[in-house]
Amino acid sequence: MAFKDPLTIAGVTLDSRLLLGTAGYPSPALLSEAIEASGSQLLTLGLKRTVQSGDNGFVELALQTARARGAHLLPNTAGCHTASEAVQLACMARELYGTAWVKLEVIGDAHTLQPDPFELLEAARSLVNLGFTVLPYCTEDLVLCRRLLDAGCAVLMPWGAPIGSGQGLLNLPGLRTLRERLPEATLIIDAGLGAPSQAAQALELGFDAVLLNSAVSQARNPAAMAGAFAEAVRAGRAAFRAGLMAPQDFARASTPVSGHAFLLGEAAR
């Protein structure tokens, strides 16, 4: 039996725990199909890359699709390397799209696309003071995450693996610790997922949602893959709510026989 299990971010209720990016699709039509199949109600939009590529068709489609389905847009500051650059871009996005929500990205390493913790925290503080609802892309570093929450961030979005790598959840102990130490925070795995099973694993660990892009946009059939991720997210969340059994160091018979009478072989006749 299906259950209602909405996700609430800054007073906005979402029925879907799958957030979807809108970059890298072969065509606007395939993007539209993937959004529909995913059931996502929060779509990210990379303003800087869109402006640089001049691909306004994808932007307009994302806007139209989001509004038609009652979904929300989440502009991001992808491609920014300093706090000042990210703040400027976020302010531009607020003017263009009429939303104060921003996925904050401040990249510190061009090879791994790992966020710069110092610039990220500075940008987060500035944007919160400017009235933004800030969802920062970060690592699983517990101290940084606490500082971001103290700065007023509505959500934390730690990576599973480097952006676009499809490697899944590389640091399971670190992610488990983050979830355990920040039990009240809304935590969304962002970046590095490549398969629906990895999304299910994130929800099973107790993370509140996942955000992905390349795993769907680069699939042979983006719409079918988006649907598969949607089912995996629902399954992972249901498993977490049901309560996973605790791992055991040794085998434990699922049907114990000690202490019960039973018959063997010919003696049973």
Side-chain angles (χ1 to χ4, degrees):
M1 179 177 177
F3 56 84
K4 290 287 186 180
D5 186 29
L7 170 66
T8 300
I9 300 176
V12 174
T13 298
L14 307 172
D15 292 327
S16 172
R17 292 174 178 269
L18 173 59
L19 285 58
L20 194 65
T22 57
Y25 285 81
S27 72
L30 288 175
L31 169 59
S32 181
E33 292 172 4
I35 293 172
E36 184 68 27
S38 72
S40 178
Q41 295 173 304
L42 193 57
L43 309 173
T44 65
L45 185 65
L47 180 61
K48 185 172 184 178
R49 290 169 183 167
T50 299
V51 171
Q52 289 177 343
S53 66
D55 197 354
N56 292 322
F58 277 72
V59 174
E60 289 303 317
L61 178 66
L63 284 167
Q64 293 171 11
T65 304
R67 289 168 178 161
R69 296 184 63 258
H72 304 269
L73 278 181
L74 180 62
N76 70 44
T77 61
C80 291
H81 294 271
T82 66
S84 59
E85 186 182 13
V87 170
Q88 181 180 26
L89 192 61
C91 291
M92 185 186 304
R94 180 162 63 179
E95 293 297 319
L96 284 174
Y97 302 122
T99 178
W101 283 35
V102 61
K103 179 193 171 190
L104 179 60
E105 294 185 34
V106 186
I107 300 302
D109 182 77
H111 178 68
T112 64
L113 300 181
Q114 181 171 332
D116 183 322
F118 306 102
E119 296 291 318
L120 181 67
L121 184 56
E122 180 182 341
R125 287 171 173 158
S126 297
L127 289 171
V128 169
N129 289 335
L130 290 171
F132 282 86
T133 297
V134 181
L135 291 77
Y137 160 65
C138 56
T139 65
E140 68 277 17
D141 184 288
L142 177 60
V143 175
L144 171 61
C145 287
R146 281 177 168 160
R147 296 291 183 270
L148 289 168
L149 290 174
D150 291 343
C153 293
V155 167
L156 299 178
M157 305 182 76
W159 67 353
I163 294 173
S165 68
Q167 297 180 63
L169 307 180
L170 290 184
N171 185 4
L172 283 174
L175 291 171
R176 284 197 184 97
T177 298
L178 189 66
R179 179 70 282 178
E180 291 169 0
R181 298 294 290 159
L182 301 176
E184 303 302 321
T186 299
L187 303 179
I188 299 174
I189 291 293
D190 175 20
L193 299 183
S197 57
Q198 297 163 357
Q201 184 181 30
L203 273 292
E204 288 170 1
L205 287 174
F207 284 83
D208 297 282
V210 297
L211 190 157
L212 50 95
N213 188 99
S214 300
V216 172
S217 67
Q218 296 182 20
R220 288 194 300 272
N221 187 331
M225 186 61 75
F229 268 101
E231 293 178 6
V233 166
R234 286 192 291 269
R237 179 64 180 177
F240 172 73
R241 283 170 55 101
L244 299 172
M245 67 170 287
Q248 307 296 321
D249 291 331
F250 301 100
R252 296 181 61 183
S254 57
T255 307
V257 295
S258 60
H260 297 274
F262 61 94
L263 300 175
L264 295 175
E266 294 296 326
R269 296 183 179 180

